[in-house]
Amino acid sequence: AVALGQQKAFNPNAEMIYKQPFHRKYEFSFDFIPKSREDAIMADNIIYHFKKWSAPYVENESQFMEMPCIWKVTYHEASGKTSKTYKRLNLFKPAFITNVQVQDNPMSDFHMTIKDETGHVPVHTAMNLFLSETMPPTRQDHDDALAMGHLRGY
């Protein structure tokens, strides 16, 4: 009777089709090809910090873990020495890094390195970051993003 008064039909299959909102998952890939000792050190530091801050923290051998860092990912467009948020690509909700994969010389059957005073540096290192958003984007999020000038929402 309520459905008839509102001119809406109840769909008994809706529950089977829509179970819950989804947390989007995405991946970013980076290639490091050091041209100097400084480049190699920088690549190692970047990889180390992504691994460190995506891992949980355990204090004093406690049974409880602190959650890993939550990351805010944005696209930026570089122009000279400045950058601005790129408004044509989608926005992201805050996310956890669920996995960091690192592979040296991913395009080769050989383990090619350059020798320096710290040891052997791979000529190419690939890092893949896998992220999962903490909250699903809502219709309101898409409208808010459009109002801020982001053409594709979340």
Side-chain angles (χ1 to χ4, degrees):
V2 173
L4 186 58
Q6 295 179 355
Q7 297 181 347
K8 295 180 181 177
F10 173 72
N11 180 356
N13 297 319
E15 246 181 80
M16 293 184 340
I17 295 168
Y18 184 81
K19 301 226 183 275
Q20 66 186 18
F22 63 96
H23 293 238
R24 296 185 303 180
K25 297 174 183 338
Y26 47 93
E27 174 185 353
F28 290 100
S29 299
F30 301 90
D31 287 310
F32 300 99
I33 303 171
K35 303 283 187 230
S36 66
R37 181 176 185 273
E38 292 76 23
D39 284 355
I41 291 169
M42 182 65 70
D44 289 340
N45 284 334
I46 291 168
I47 292 166
Y48 168 80
H49 282 287
F50 273 114
K51 286 181 171 184
K52 176 183 177 180
W53 296 108
S54 65
Y57 177 75
V58 179
E59 188 173 341
N60 299 331
E61 298 182 27
S62 138
Q63 292 182 349
F64 297 99
M65 292 184 184
E66 258 184 49
M67 292 173 53
C69 286
I70 295 176
W71 299 81
K72 180 66 178 154
V73 178
T74 56
Y75 289 110
H76 286 266
E77 180 179 15
S79 175
K81 292 186 179 186
T82 63
S83 73
K84 62 181 180 176
T85 303
Y86 194 70
K87 304 238 181 204
R88 188 159 296 278
L89 298 173
N90 63 292
L91 291 171
F92 298 97
K93 298 292 245 174
F96 289 105
I97 294 178
T98 58
N99 193 7
V100 179
Q101 290 181 347
V102 179
Q103 184 178 0
D104 292 327
N105 301 309
M107 307 301 283
S108 175
D109 293 335
F110 303 102
H111 187 71
M112 297 181 286
T113 59
I114 301 168
K115 185 167 175 35
D116 74 0
E117 58 271 10
T118 62
H120 294 274
V121 178
V123 296
H124 176 198
T125 300
M127 177 178 71
N128 295 319
L129 300 177
F130 297 86
L131 294 97
S132 179
E133 291 177 322
T134 60
M135 295 291 295
T138 64
R139 290 180 192 170
Q140 185 61 41
D141 290 329
H142 291 291
D143 288 341
D144 292 346
L146 187 62
M148 293 185 303
H150 293 277
L151 303 175
R152 296 184 181 178
Y154 273 84

